[in-house]
Amino acid sequence: MQVFKFGGASVKNAEAVKNVASILKSYGNGETIVVISAMDKTTNKLEELVNAYFYKKGNTASVFDELKKFHLDIATQLFKDPKNINNEIENVFVEILWAIEEEPSFTYNHHYDQLVSQGEVLATKIVSAYLNEIGISNKWLDARGIIQTDNTFREGKVDYELSHTLVQTQLIPQLKQHAIVITQGFIGGTSENFTTTLGREGSDYTAALLAYFADAEKVIIWKDVPGVLNADPKYFKNTKKIEELTYHDAIELTYYGASVIHPKTIKPLQNKSIHLYVRSFLKPAEPGTVIKESDKRIEVTSYIFKDKQILLSIQPKDFSFIAEDNLSTIFRMFSAYNVHANMIQNSAISFSVCTDDDEQKIEPLLIELQEHFKVLYNKDVQLLTIRNYDDDIIAKLSENKLVIIEQRSRNTLQMVMKEEQ
Ligand code: ASP
Ligand code: MG
């Protein structure tokens, strides 16, 4: 049994959906759980919709219409007779409309999850119906009835025991009967039947969880890159593909921000020695990268670039030291607001943290921090992590940048930098 994961780029239009079908034809033999995320930039659009709705800023109607047209157009191109699928798409949009016609009555994060999750619902409905139409028989399954989480909206914490039982009792029988099960990445459900999401780009994590609960042999993440590269081609030229990685190296790369795989993906797979392949949906015959246990460590220099960072410098108001009691207060606040420290540095009277500048999370955190500490911050900074660094690469990558903090260990160098003005 295997788990396939197709992300937004792999289902970005009708052609792409056809390509998914051809990959399933060639490589989907045996029992295959297929995890799909929202089509193209749908998640971003739905975020826009939530913001317009919740903060009454912007136009909900135009985003709504655009999203609806986008999905209906794909259906028109895929189906000879799109009547049934159009009905299903319409139903989802009716649900969205009902939700945004009411005044917000829960938290932002709660509304976010109820609305943004619909992108995955739409994508899986379209792909599942299309596959059935062309003779690839499959069963559509609602992940919200399988992946159970607590009610930490936008960052649902998965109940392993319950989800495991549900995979065994609900998913596996369907897989035995239909061979292919299509389900959503990124979304889960609570005991009160609310929808949660697992964090942006969380579909990889869903794939890993399902593989873990179902005891799959392998997971294949189909991407628009040839595998795991030593750097993000969005920011760097001349990237190299890495053939093989250990779970340890993969965890480190993703922890430092390599966006090719979601950081939470590796643990469940490592725990059951399930091999993870990252392969190209554009060149599906190529081997891609395999992540598994081995004695080999990667020696290739890899660099991970994160922009839109904020550097916080936190100091006790009374000039006392940064000591264990202060640190535990600070970490508790970070954890309460789900803010993840990408780099930390401690000195006698100041504690610096570099983190993603997500206003939703940072603003309330800042307010609370400022009650206890003096907080300085530096916006628009970048965090660069270089593994297996050498002096040439450091000089090259920090050219024309102002390096604010630098931290070195034997293998890893991190720099918080700003564009030189
Ligand atoms: N659609 C979600 C997102 O864009 C989840 C994912 O793509 O993995 O964040
Ligand atoms: Mg996505």
Side-chain angles (χ1 to χ4, degrees):
M1 180 213 302
Q2 56 184 353
V3 178
F4 281 6
K5 184 261 172 169
F6 291 99
S10 67
V11 288
K12 69 175 182 198
N13 54 32
E15 274 322 297
V17 173
K18 289 182 186 166
N19 185 49
V20 166
S22 93
I23 289 178
L24 274 169
K25 260 193 206 139
S26 308
Y27 305 99
N29 311 320
E31 290 163 353
T32 308
I33 302 171
V34 182
V35 173
I36 298 177
S37 38
M39 293 173 145
D40 201 23
K41 301 280 178 268
T42 297
T43 305
N44 293 353
K45 285 275 156 206
L46 285 165
E47 282 188 348
E48 254 179 63
L49 183 75
V50 181
N51 292 342
Y53 160 67
F54 194 85
Y55 296 115
K56 303 193 169 56
K57 288 196 276 207
N59 189 343
T60 51
S62 66
V63 187
F64 179 90
D65 293 344
E66 187 188 335
L67 271 173
K68 188 165 161 186
K69 180 172 180 316
F70 171 74
H71 287 92
L72 288 172
D73 282 352
I74 291 180
T76 308
Q77 289 166 49
L78 286 174
F79 294 81
K80 275 196 229 79
D81 176 9
K83 204 168 80 232
N84 291 340
I85 187 67
N86 282 355
N87 273 339
E88 295 210 45
I89 296 172
E90 297 276 356
N91 287 343
V92 175
F93 281 96
V94 168
E95 269 186 49
I96 297 178
L97 198 60
W98 282 343
I100 61 178
E101 274 172 0
E102 303 248 333
E103 278 296 303
S105 49
F106 295 101
T107 62
Y108 174 86
N109 289 350
H110 183 121
H111 285 288
Y112 176 103
D113 281 1
Q114 312 318 304
L115 286 166
V116 170
S117 53
Q118 298 286 13
E120 269 64 18
V121 174
L122 288 161
T124 49
K125 290 210 160 166
I126 294 171
V127 175
S128 167
Y130 175 69
L131 294 174
N132 275 325
E133 167 150 304
I134 62 163
I136 305 179
S137 122
N138 71 88
K139 175 79 182 168
W140 181 90
L141 213 66
D142 193 328
R144 293 169 292 191
I146 306 272
I147 299 291
Q148 295 299 296
T149 72
D150 68 359
N151 56 7
T152 314
F153 294 100
R154 287 185 76 191
E155 199 95 38
K157 306 276 176 293
V158 175
D159 181 335
Y160 264 59
E161 218 166 295
L162 185 53
S163 306
H164 185 195
T165 307
L166 289 165
V167 165
Q168 291 297 331
T169 56
Q170 312 290 318
L171 191 152
I172 299 289
Q174 298 288 359
L175 195 61
K176 296 250 173 291
Q177 195 182 336
H178 300 272
I180 297 180
V181 165
I182 308 275
T183 194
Q184 307 78 39
F186 177 57
I187 71 176
T190 70
S191 58
E192 294 157 298
N193 274 326
F194 286 116
T195 302
T196 47
T197 63
L198 309 178
R200 284 302 307 263
E201 307 304 329
S203 294
D204 296 347
Y205 180 41
T206 305
L209 287 170
L210 293 177
Y212 176 89
F213 297 137
D215 287 311
E217 283 142 42
K218 63 176 182 221
V219 173
I220 305 181
I221 297 183
W222 297 94
K223 302 271 309 182
D224 56 0
V225 286
V228 177
L229 306 176
N230 70 323
D232 187 338
K234 210 163 79 192
Y235 302 113
F236 299 100
K237 278 185 261 169
N238 306 325
T239 53
K240 279 187 288 224
K241 194 196 84 179
I242 301 169
E243 308 283 323
E244 195 179 311
L245 278 170
T246 60
Y247 294 113
H248 182 127
D249 281 323
I251 285 253
E252 292 222 333
L253 285 176
T254 57
Y255 174 83
Y256 290 125
S259 60
V260 62
I261 320 165
H262 189 279
K264 286 187 182 163
T265 311
I266 308 298
K267 178 181 179 282
L269 301 180
Q270 188 276 343
N271 289 174
K272 283 198 176 167
S273 300
I274 300 167
H275 292 187
L276 170 62
Y277 296 82
V278 179
R279 284 168 62 175
S280 163
F281 63 75
L282 301 167
K283 293 186 178 150
E286 296 194 353
T289 299
V290 57
I291 297 163
K292 58 178 192 186
E293 212 52 82
S294 96
D295 311 328
K296 271 197 246 161
R297 305 243 346 165
I298 50 163
E299 257 117 57
V300 42
T301 302
S302 40
Y303 18 103
I304 302 135
F305 181 76
K306 278 171 94 68
D307 59 2
K308 300 197 188 78
Q309 300 290 294
I310 182 167
L311 180 66
L312 307 176
S313 160
I314 304 163
Q315 304 167 4
K317 283 183 173 162
D318 58 0
F319 213 70
S320 62
F321 297 135
I322 284 281
E324 287 68 17
D325 50 346
N326 289 325
L327 285 176
S328 77
T329 312
I330 294 171
F331 279 122
R332 225 177 303 115
M333 288 182 198
F334 271 73
S335 153
Y337 291 99
N338 265 314
V339 175
H340 172 73
N342 295 328
M343 198 219 62
I344 56 182
Q345 180 151 300
N346 196 13
S347 75
I349 52 162
S350 167
F351 181 69
S352 302
V353 185
C354 184
T355 176
D356 296 353
D357 193 2
D358 174 347
E359 264 177 42
Q360 297 295 337
K361 293 178 175 178
I362 297 293
E363 283 197 354
L365 170 67
L366 274 178
I367 292 172
E368 195 165 337
L369 278 170
Q370 279 161 342
E371 281 172 26
H372 305 263
F373 302 96
K374 183 172 163 204
V375 186
L376 306 172
Y377 55 86
N378 209 332
K379 273 177 163 298
D380 293 320
V381 299
Q382 306 156 348
L383 176 65
L384 177 68
T385 305
I386 312 176
R387 306 195 66 232
N388 305 310
Y389 57 86
D390 60 46
D391 289 339
D392 286 352
I393 198 85
I394 298 170
K396 192 167 144 226
L397 296 178
S398 58
E399 211 180 327
N400 300 327
K401 308 257 164 126
L402 179 71
V403 177
I404 307 171
I405 294 185
E406 185 185 304
Q407 222 173 60
R408 287 180 199 230
S409 69
R410 198 153 54 84
N411 297 316
T412 307
L413 170 97
Q414 289 199 292
M415 290 188 285
V416 178
M417 315 185 296
K418 214 172 169 130
E419 297 291 343
E420 230 153 25
Q421 307 284 328

